[in-house]
Amino acid sequence: MSLGIGGSPESTDSAIRAEDSTHLRQQLVVKEFENRLLRRQLTAQQQQIENLQARLKWYENPNTPPSKQGGAAGSPGNDDSDEEENEDQGDDAGGDADAASDSSPGRDEGHEGTTRPPPEPEETIRVDQGYCPDCEQTLSNPDSYVSRTIIDIPLPIPTTVTEYELGKHHCSCGNEVVAEHPDCPETGRFGPNIMAQTALGRFHQRLPNRKQAELFEWELDLPISHRTIYNLTKRVADRLRPAYEDVKARIRESDVVYCDETGFPVDGEQHWAWTFVTDEEVLFWVDESRGSQVLEDVLGEEFAEDSTLSCDGWSAYPSYHTKLQRCWAHLLREAEYVAERYEEAERLSEELHALHDDLTAFDEE
């Protein structure tokens, strides 16, 4: 009896099983490919999460000031942009009108106003002729006068040129001595007022050297190159170096020194601006390092053991000195940070805040 075309049932089953096996292997290859793809995506996502968590630490950690927490500042070092924008908009910025009025210019509500008294005029100019815009007549005999006192400066601002004849002496010891005058610099031809104005323009007004050169020509009718502006600034720094060293010496002898440091770009490179403060002195120090070596350079290798450093939690401070007074702002933020996460730390946070309030009230009284 014939079974028909296609062979025996056994061969047909074998062909079906082979086809199913091939199909399963194909599915397995596809699943393995999908698995590898998903693992790659998971690895990339985990890396992205780690990067975001690292960025989040800029804003959500006990050492971050409130102005930067939660990313409100946009980026580190830019925590005043929103505040400045709201101040410029005034009452139209929205929100509480009272809050807007607090930052507006002018005297506070209820504060008695004052008016600048007019200075005594050095010259009186009488103006008789007037012009009527309706009749187009020129009037020359006024019935009375209206007095207005105007304060102004002449342009260009007057400059003085002084020649100093400095006596030259030959001492009996063999030295040659030249007389000195406080208004006659040892180097260059520009006096102390111009040098001081140059330093103020560079560091207080933040004017580039070329802008200062333009300003000197406009205001003083005194052409000065931007290179000369740089040299004048350096001469001021050289003249002030002894006073700077005196401040540093007094800080080294102080019983309590407050220290802090913040990022400071110099020619696009990361530097650090250090601040050392006592009751009577303030010293700024710009350095490439944020380490304890800076503390040794400023305060000396052997800072007095009984002196106290008031500082935040940066590791450079305990590496340099053992007697530390933690900054209250950082300490309270750290206590709050821990208390929000651990119930047993709540009492510590409350006690520290109460102690701070008591000390503040005592200090105010």
Side-chain angles (χ1 to χ4, degrees):
M1 182 176 63
S2 175
L3 296 175
I5 300 175
S8 65
E10 293 79 3
S11 62
T12 303
D13 293 340
S14 298
I16 293 175
R17 285 195 297 272
E19 183 179 353
D20 291 342
S21 177
T22 302
H23 181 66
L24 289 174
R25 283 197 297 270
Q26 291 176 346
Q27 287 184 332
L28 181 61
V29 170
V30 172
K31 294 299 182 181
E32 289 179 350
F33 177 77
E34 292 178 350
N35 193 12
R36 287 198 299 269
L37 180 61
L38 290 174
R39 284 201 299 268
R40 291 178 182 176
Q41 292 177 348
L42 180 60
T43 301
Q45 290 176 351
Q46 289 176 340
Q47 183 64 41
Q48 184 179 16
I49 290 173
E50 291 177 0
N51 293 337
L52 291 174
Q53 288 176 339
R55 293 179 59 186
L56 189 62
K57 289 181 179 179
W58 278 98
Y59 307 107
E60 293 187 359
N61 67 79
N63 293 317
T64 302
S67 60
K68 294 183 180 180
Q69 288 180 359
S75 62
N78 190 31
D79 53 325
D80 295 331
S81 57
D82 294 340
E83 181 180 351
E84 292 176 357
E85 181 180 354
N86 291 337
E87 287 181 355
D88 292 339
Q89 294 175 353
D91 293 339
D92 296 334
D96 191 353
D98 293 336
S101 63
D102 291 341
S103 60
S104 61
R107 63 184 177 88
D108 296 333
E109 184 177 355
H111 188 275
E112 184 178 355
T114 59
T115 303
R116 178 193 298 271
E120 190 69 25
E122 301 175 359
E123 179 185 10
T124 299
I125 299 178
R126 179 162 291 181
V127 184
D128 292 335
Q129 287 190 345
Y131 177 76
C132 179
D134 295 334
C135 306
E136 297 184 352
Q137 293 190 51
T138 300
L139 309 175
S140 57
N141 295 318
D143 300 323
S144 60
Y145 290 91
V146 176
S147 178
R148 295 182 60 195
T149 302
I150 305 300
I151 304 173
D152 204 350
I153 58 174
L155 287 177
I157 299 174
T159 57
T160 61
V161 180
T162 305
E163 180 181 9
Y164 292 89
E165 294 184 351
L166 306 176
K168 183 182 292 186
H169 308 271
H170 293 279
C171 183
S172 58
C173 67
N175 288 337
E176 184 179 85
V177 179
V178 178
E180 298 179 356
H181 191 279
D183 295 334
C184 181
E186 297 179 0
T187 306
R189 65 180 62 180
F190 295 105
N193 290 336
I194 287 183
M195 288 197 294
Q197 186 63 40
T198 303
L200 290 173
R202 180 70 182 89
F203 297 105
H204 184 68
Q205 300 175 356
R206 300 176 182 267
L207 291 176
N209 293 337
R210 293 184 182 275
K211 291 292 184 182
Q212 280 213 73
E214 295 176 358
L215 195 63
F216 269 69
E217 188 168 2
W218 295 342
E219 290 190 348
L220 303 178
D221 194 18
L222 186 65
I224 297 180
S225 68
H226 68 277
R227 180 67 186 182
T228 301
I229 297 292
Y230 171 80
N231 291 333
L232 291 175
T233 306
K234 189 176 183 303
R235 291 172 197 168
V236 173
D238 293 338
R239 291 287 297 273
L240 295 178
R241 178 64 56 184
Y244 183 87
E245 295 297 332
D246 289 343
V247 172
K248 185 165 68 172
R250 291 195 296 271
I251 286 180
R252 288 184 173 187
E253 299 174 355
S254 178
D255 294 334
V256 179
V257 179
Y258 173 80
C259 307
D260 199 5
E261 79 293 327
T262 187
F264 191 85
V266 177
D267 292 335
E269 298 292 335
Q270 180 67 36
H271 286 59
W272 299 92
W274 291 75
T275 308
F276 300 86
V277 182
T278 67
D279 288 340
E280 299 180 354
E281 294 89 10
V282 177
L283 184 90
F284 294 99
W285 180 285
V286 178
D287 203 289
E288 297 180 3
S289 173
R290 199 187 180 190
S292 58
Q293 181 61 45
V294 178
L295 297 169
E296 293 185 9
D297 294 339
V298 177
L299 300 177
E301 296 181 1
E302 298 181 358
F303 190 58
E305 293 184 0
D306 56 344
S307 296
T308 302
L309 286 184
S310 178
C311 57
D312 56 21
W314 179 236
S315 59
Y317 300 111
S319 299
Y320 170 72
H321 197 60
T322 57
K323 189 176 180 182
L324 305 178
Q325 165 63 55
R326 289 295 306 280
C327 169
W328 269 109
H330 288 81
L331 191 61
L332 295 179
R333 283 203 300 267
E334 290 178 8
E336 294 172 359
Y337 183 84
V338 178
E340 290 174 356
R341 289 156 177 79
Y342 303 97
E343 183 178 354
E344 54 266 39
E346 293 179 358
R347 182 179 177 185
L348 174 63
S349 178
E350 294 173 358
E351 293 290 345
L352 283 174
H353 279 78
L355 177 60
H356 175 262
D357 294 341
D358 291 343
L359 290 172
T360 302
F362 176 80
D363 184 61
E364 292 176 351
E365 293 174 359

